[in-house]
Amino acid sequence: MKGRTAMPPMPILDLAQLDTDRVIASHEEIYQLNPHRFEFALLDRFCYLDPEPMTMAAIVEVQPDAYWVRGHIPGRPLMPGVLMIESSAQMISYFVKRVRQVDGFIGFGGVTDVKFRGQVTPGDTLILLGKMLEIRNNRRAVGQTQGFVDGKMVYEGIITGMVF
């Protein structure tokens, strides 16, 4: 039907079974493999990582003093969608580097099928889920990603990374 939004897909992982307090990889461990620093080191921790079905979950604790809060949008700060995409890309990058032991910089090769389905605000815990769809010759990686706040899907998209 015209003008109607499709229902969100099923979560990649069962959120009820996910222990979001578990630490598979800490912030420091993530950024031993990922090159991001300062305000662009967006992931707080991985709480799930399974190499066999190539699934993962990472956490972003959205801080009230994050650099974007003051200006996006004054009086009603919303996490920019591009930062949800960037956080998801960092999750995919870490997974590929850790599980496939890929060296080099993994940069964006593309972003497709992105939908924003809700808001992320300071104080929220953004749960990112991912499933690798393809890892080709350790040079190209494609992952399905989703973001949730309080059990509600707020973001989904396909991230393609290329090793440079």
Side-chain angles (χ1 to χ4, degrees), residues 13-25:
L13 298 168
D14 182 352
L15 293 169
Q17 299 298 314
L18 196 61
D19 179 359
T20 59
D21 292 325
R22 186 173 182 202
V23 179
I24 299 293

Side-chain angles (χ1 to χ4, degrees), residues 68-142:
W68 52 265
V69 169
R70 189 175 69 146
H72 195 265
I73 305 290
R76 186 180 175 173
L78 301 173
M79 183 179 195
V82 69
L83 293 181
M84 290 183 229
I85 295 169
E86 175 63 29
S87 298
S88 297
Q90 289 181 26
M91 175 178 65
I92 296 295
S93 175
Y94 178 81
F95 181 91
V96 171
K97 286 177 162 239
R98 178 171 170 174
V99 172
R100 294 297 283 267
Q101 299 177 341
V102 171
D103 290 326
F105 173 72
I106 300 176
F108 275 117
V111 181
T112 59
D113 301 325
V114 172
K115 290 184 180 69
F116 299 103
R117 298 180 173 275
Q119 299 177 357
V120 180
T121 59
D124 285 342
T125 297
L126 176 61
I127 301 170
L128 297 172
L129 305 181
K131 177 169 181 47
M132 298 308 301
L133 302 175
E134 169 188 330
I135 302 175
R136 187 182 302 166
N137 300 326
N138 285 351
R139 300 266 316 138
R140 180 175 187 258
V142 180

